[in-house]
């Protein structure tokens, strides 16, 4: 099989990043995958049709306004012929798996939200990661989540968590959360061997957690203050459910005076680059 890397569309849509940074993110991710010798495949619902690979003439649409599509919404978006349903991690993994693709890159996965004991807000990303046999490359989980609870949940669900050239779980915009990863890997070949062995035993998802490159990383302490401000702003605006993640990402960009945006681009590109190397290693395996 040729080396393919699936990419989600939510991050490139208005839900993920502000214009024109989202188009830059898309271009940089596609280039990184191609430079690594793999074929990038953006997932999305366009005019009610599920795409795993989107032609260049529709990239502008991918970077525009969208309705958020998690795994459970895929059938609705197709059945109701949504013009543009932007796929989250859970929906992208579902579509990629349906095409036999083995590697997926994103910015940061969703996870267990802070305050989850009251709200029960746990991203469907975790369920898809647990059940579908793909390697997902992400800069850990989004900083404004409960990262310790997210790691616990992935242990319960038997998601393989690998630190990419690190012993600590990355915190999206920051290189480390201070929480240890269960295992460290240092090469794409190592990830490919682990994934093949895991899948041969009937296992599901493998999460490769890669820290944002040093020159683009934000400081964890400053970031925590911005996150508190962003969570307060999102709460004050009264958003709930699936609207929370886009709202907090937007508020975080404001709270960091826009500094979180180039960091987000750098980490997404870095993940795409690593994913391509893993896809090539798997294709050669
Ligand atoms: N990471 C980003 N930007 C995003 C997301 C993640 O840098 O927009 C999106 C992904 O699509 C992820 C989704 O799957 O947020 C999780 O949403 P929720 O927490 O509502 O499950
Ligand atoms: Mn949620």
């Amino acid at each position: 099989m040729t080396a393919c890397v699936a990419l989600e569309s939510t991050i490139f849509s208005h839900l993920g990043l502000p214009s024109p940074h989202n188009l830059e993110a898309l271009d940089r991710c596609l280039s990184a995958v191609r430079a690594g010798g793999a074929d990038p495949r953006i997932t999305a619902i366009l005019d009610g049709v599920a795409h795993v690979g989107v032609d260049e003439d529709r990239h502008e649409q991918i970077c525009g306004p969208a309705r958020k599509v998690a795994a459970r919404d895929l059938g609705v978006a197709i059945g109701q012929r949504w013009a543009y349903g932007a796929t989250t991690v859970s929906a992208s993994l579902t579509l990629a798996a349906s095409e036999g693709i083995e590697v997926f890159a994103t910015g940061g996965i969703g996870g267990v939200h802070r305050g989850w004991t009251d709200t029960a807000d746990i991203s469907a990303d975790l369920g898809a990661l647990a059940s579908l046999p793909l390697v997902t490359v992400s800069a850990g989980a989004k900083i404004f989540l409960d990262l310790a609870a997210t790691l616990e949940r992935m242990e319960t669900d038997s998601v393989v968590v690998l630190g990419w050239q690190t012993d600590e779980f990355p915190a999206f915009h920051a290189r480390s959360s201070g929480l240890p990863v269960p295992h460290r890997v240092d090469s794409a070949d190592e990830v490919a061997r682990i994934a093949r062995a895991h899948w041969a035993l009937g296992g599901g998802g493998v999460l490769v957690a890669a820290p944002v490159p040093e020159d683009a990383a934000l400081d964890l302490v400053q970031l925590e203050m911005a996150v508190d401000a962003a969570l307060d702003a999102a709460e004050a605006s009264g958003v709930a459910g699936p609207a929370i993640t886009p709202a907090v990402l937007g508020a975080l960009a404001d709270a960091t005076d826009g500094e979180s945006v180039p960091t987000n681009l750098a980490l997404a590109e870095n993940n795409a680059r690593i994913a391509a190397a893993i896809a090539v290693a798997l294709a050669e395996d």
Side-chain angles (χ1 to χ4, degrees), residues 213-253:
E214 210 135 5
D215 56 359
L218 299 185
D219 175 72
L220 187 61
V221 176
Q222 283 173 349
L223 199 57
E224 277 297 346
M225 290 192 301
V227 166
D228 287 342
L231 286 170
D232 287 347
E235 197 179 329
S237 70
V239 294
I244 289 178
T245 292
V248 176
L249 282 171
L252 195 57

Side-chain angles (χ1 to χ4, degrees), residues 8-17 68-70 86-92 104 106-113 121-126 140-142 144-145 172-173 241-246 249 264 267-268:
E8 64 159 309
S9 44
T10 299
I11 181 172
F12 303 133
S13 76
H14 280 185
L15 298 168
L17 282 163
K68 186 170 168 177
V69 174
T87 44
T88 63
V89 170
S90 66
S92 301
F104 167 68
T106 180
I109 59 165
V112 179
H113 283 251
D121 191 354
I122 298 174
S123 176
D125 292 358
L126 294 187
K142 275 165 288 170
F144 51 85
L145 299 169
F172 200 59
H173 306 87
I244 289 178
T245 292
L249 282 171
N264 206 332
L267 66 86

